[in-house]
Amino acid sequence: MTQSAAPTRVPLVDYLRLEPSPHLVAHECTNCGARFFDRRNACAACEGTDFVEAAVASEGTLRTFTIVSFAAPGIPVPFVAGVIDCDGTHVRGNIIGVPPDADHVHTGMRLRLATTSLGPDAEGTEAIGFGFTPIAESNDATDQTTEES
Amino acid sequence: MRATDDIWILGISMTKFGKHPYLDTVDLAAEATLGALRDGGVSMADVGVIAAGCLMGAGLGIGQALQKQVGQTGVPVYNVANACATGATAIRTVVMALKAGEADIGLAVGVEKLAGAGLLAGASRKNDSSTWTPHGRYGAVAPVDGRIGTETMPGVFAQIGMEYGHRYGGTSFELFARISQKNHAHSTLNPLAAYTKEMSLEQIMNDVMIAYPNTRPMCSANCDGAAAAVLVTGERLASLSDDQRRRAVRISASVLTTDPWEPGCQVLPDVNTLTRNAARQAYETAGVGPEDLDLVELHDCFATAELVHYDNLMLCPEGGAVDFFESGAPFRDGSMPVNVSGGLESKGHPIAATGIANVWEVATHLRGEAGDRQIDGARVGLAHVIGLGSACGVHILERAG
């Protein structure tokens, strides 16, 4: 009954890898190079069925964003949602570590992957999520874990 | 192609869009259907095929429920669902049946009750479970909406508009708000619109922010409504009365596309490629170009969406949507009036009805029956819808004679 093991960590989604350092991975079609974050039965681009795991660049450029002020109950608002071009792979994520307003967020800004904590579950396992934080415009932008609020 | 090979709109009708607390979806569908039959001078006994949609009641069998109110003749019913393109899909289904020779008169109908529905996607996020256990194709241990971007429609379409600005420049919160201002101004002339109030730029920009840059009046209005169309083959039309032939509207192109693979489409829906593909096919089939259009009803589910579809429908050169709007072209007194009905932002968006209601709007102008908002001398028009997933319907219509 007694658990002596230290609480473990799990990623929010299986395409977030925590080790050796946090990064995203994609299923890459070995035939055409198309990348998918979810598992695919076959490639949507070429119908190939052979995939390898590919690491996604952890830095990128903000292609587009919105500032969500109205969302389902339980989702803290406002928050910034966007699409980040990580060396050609488009990634969906929240923009964090920056005030959620149009004065501080703009397309074309450089961003880096960062992790967030969703907190522990009933068994003490901590879930780790991710977002993207500005590289140049904020000095305290690091990939340190921040609390989800 | 001979005129008798074409498919025509014989009768078409839409209900008032808005709140109908005492009518259910079957009542609304019946009202639109009886209106379309009366408009076309035919009855259910003449209808050989039915395609019907009610997205939120997709398991109900709306087509058969409708038959029980207006005429159970035993003809085949196709209940269709294709997100916001459901109405266009119903028309497309009937067009295909008529072209295939399966029937010579068919009915397409779409209905929805959405008044007061609020956010339609991303609105029902599950609570976190007590343990972080992976689920689904992403192995997610918790709901991701709000944690990995947004799944709300206002947020998704905000990003689609902002991405256009990133690619081509020239967009701003104010620009998107002015697009909405145009459509709300147009709606004042449409008695069937859910909202018919003119709104100032300040009112629109200072209203409740939903997902920047879309404030509430820049979002499509959830409401109740139905629309129905009776279609006929050219051959059958030739046997009908002078008045029926005079008011018939030619469907010069009926196109439905889905989105081909694009690298970014897995994280943000690509509403551009399939719309451009549909438009290209439609122009080719109809033998007309964007410059021939007298009016366009396009899918302004959000103000940010209208901008990108100017470009996708090739109403302007690639990348030129901002200049197109700034030129005044899409205003009702401009060179290419867009959404003179008021668009989804003010006319309303009862989902499955939308793709027939926009055809009704165009057809009504082509018949010269649009009253105060008539676009004078309209001969050719285009109706466009898109449903995420995605499906895009484009219909090009031409006046008879």
Side-chain angles (χ1 to χ4, degrees):
Chain A
M1 295 293 284
T2 304
Q3 285 194 324
S4 56
T8 54
R9 301 192 308 162
V10 294
L12 172 58
V13 284
D14 59 15
Y15 64 89
L16 170 65
R17 295 297 158 81
L18 303 177
E19 305 298 339
S21 63
H23 64 286
L24 302 179
V25 294
H27 303 287
E28 186 174 282
C29 174
T30 57
N31 183 50
C32 77
R35 288 182 167 188
F36 305 91
F37 287 112
D38 56 343
R39 63 181 168 84
R40 298 278 169 135
N41 301 71
C43 176
C46 77
E47 305 178 40
T49 53
D50 190 28
F51 297 90
V52 293
E53 190 172 292
V56 176
S58 290
E59 292 186 3
T61 303
L62 186 62
R63 270 184 72 83
T64 187
F65 70 96
T66 181
I67 304 162
V68 179
S69 301
F70 196 84
I75 298 177
V77 290
F79 70 93
V80 184
V83 175
I84 302 90
D85 183 342
C86 294
D87 279 356
T89 302
H90 292 189
V91 180
R92 179 196 299 187
N94 290 3
I95 315 308
I96 59 176
V98 63
D101 62 60
D103 293 332
H104 293 87
V105 183
H106 57 88
T107 60
M109 69 194 297
R110 293 288 297 169
L111 300 163
R112 177 187 294 133
L113 186 77
T115 54
T116 61
S117 174
L118 277 66
D121 66 9
E123 295 171 356
T125 301
E126 182 187 23
I128 304 294
F130 69 90
F132 287 82
T133 187
I135 291 176
E137 297 169 46
S138 172
N139 291 329
D140 57 4
T142 68
D143 62 355
Q144 71 191 13
T145 296
T146 54
E147 289 298 315
E148 183 179 27
S149 58
Chain B
M1 179 181 268
R2 294 173 302 130
T4 50
D5 291 333
D6 286 330
I7 307 299
W8 299 72
I9 297 168
L10 181 62
I12 190 160
S13 179
M14 67 175 276
T15 68
K16 161 86 175 161
F17 281 6
K19 294 185 175 76
H20 290 288
Y22 304 111
L23 299 177
D24 62 21
T25 52
V26 180
D27 292 323
L28 289 165
E31 181 182 326
T33 296
L34 294 173
L37 291 167
R38 200 161 43 239
D39 185 51
V42 291
S43 70
M44 284 301 285
D46 299 301
V47 171
V49 61
I50 298 170
C54 177
L55 194 67
M56 296 298 161
L60 167 71
I62 184 67
Q64 289 88 339
L66 170 68
Q67 285 179 303
K68 291 176 175 64
Q69 303 303 320
V70 299
Q72 282 179 260
T73 56
V75 301
V77 164
Y78 298 88
N79 290 302
V80 298
N82 232 346
C84 299
T86 295
T89 302
I91 292 181
R92 179 83 191 108
T93 301
V94 172
V95 167
M96 288 194 295
L98 267 51
K99 277 187 180 284
E102 295 272 340
D104 53 14
I105 292 181
L107 169 72
V109 56
V111 61
E112 214 77 55
K113 271 186 76 80
L114 285 173
L119 284 175
L120 297 182
S124 55
R125 193 173 89 153
K126 290 179 181 150
N127 292 324
D128 292 346
S129 53
S130 60
T131 56
W132 302 126
T133 309
H135 292 288
R137 297 186 86 87
Y138 295 96
V141 302
V144 300
D145 183 26
R147 288 177 167 131
I148 304 177
T150 182
E151 292 170 7
T152 66
M153 291 297 107
V156 168
F157 279 93
Q159 291 175 84
I160 286 165
M162 295 288 281
E163 184 179 46
Y164 191 87
H166 178 60
R167 289 173 71 186
Y168 300 115
T171 61
S172 65
F173 176 23
E174 184 180 313
L175 174 92
F176 291 120
R178 283 167 54 214
I179 291 173
S180 181
Q181 184 186 17
K182 167 185 75 76
N183 289 351
H184 285 287
H186 286 172
S187 76
T188 61
L189 298 172
N190 185 358
L192 297 185
Y195 299 95
T196 55
K197 282 187 184 155
E198 189 150 13
M199 294 190 77
S200 71
L201 188 60
E202 290 69 29
Q203 280 177 305
I204 292 168
M205 294 181 75
N206 292 325
D207 207 306
V208 178
M209 180 59 75
I210 305 295
Y212 178 91
N214 287 322
T215 64
R216 185 170 51 188
M218 296 163 71
C219 301
S220 51
N222 288 329
C223 67
D224 307 333
V230 175
L231 310 187
V232 62
T233 60
E235 192 174 355
R236 177 70 182 268
L237 179 65
S239 73
L240 299 179
S241 74
D242 288 350
D243 193 49
Q244 284 167 309
R245 292 203 304 273
R246 181 183 60 76
R247 291 182 70 252
V249 172
R250 183 201 309 263
I251 302 178
S252 303
S254 172
V255 175
L256 192 72
T257 56
T258 58
D259 46 341
W261 159 254
E262 292 284 333
C265 70
Q266 64 170 333
V267 297
L268 182 68
D270 172 17
V271 303
N272 303 319
T273 309
L274 83 167
T275 297
R276 189 169 284 272
N277 288 351
R280 191 179 291 121
Q281 285 180 42
Y283 291 134
E284 276 176 23
T285 304
V288 303
E291 66 283 357
D292 298 316
L293 301 175
D294 296 305
L295 76 159
V296 171
E297 288 286 305
L298 62 74
H299 201 69
D300 65 321
C301 49
F302 299 91
T304 45
E306 176 157 328
L307 183 81
V308 304
H309 293 315
Y310 295 152
D311 197 324
N312 296 330
L313 295 172
M314 295 175 258
L315 308 184
C316 62
E318 198 163 340
V322 173
D323 289 343
F324 175 77
F325 178 76
E326 296 287 5
S327 78
F331 288 77
R332 57 167 290 111
D333 58 354
S335 59
M336 178 79 75
V338 173
N339 289 337
V340 296
S341 67
L344 279 53
E345 294 163 66
S346 34
K347 180 177 71 177
H349 185 22
I351 295 175
T354 293
I356 300 174
N358 62 3
V359 168
W360 176 86
E361 179 71 21
V362 173
T364 301
H365 286 270
L366 299 182
R367 287 166 156 183
E369 298 174 357
D372 290 343
R373 70 180 186 289
Q374 175 68 38
I375 297 299
D376 287 334
R379 300 192 61 83
V380 186
L382 181 149
H384 158 258
V385 289
I386 185 161
L388 282 194
S390 296
C392 175
V394 168
H395 286 93
I396 293 179
L397 310 176
E398 289 185 73
R399 188 164 81 184

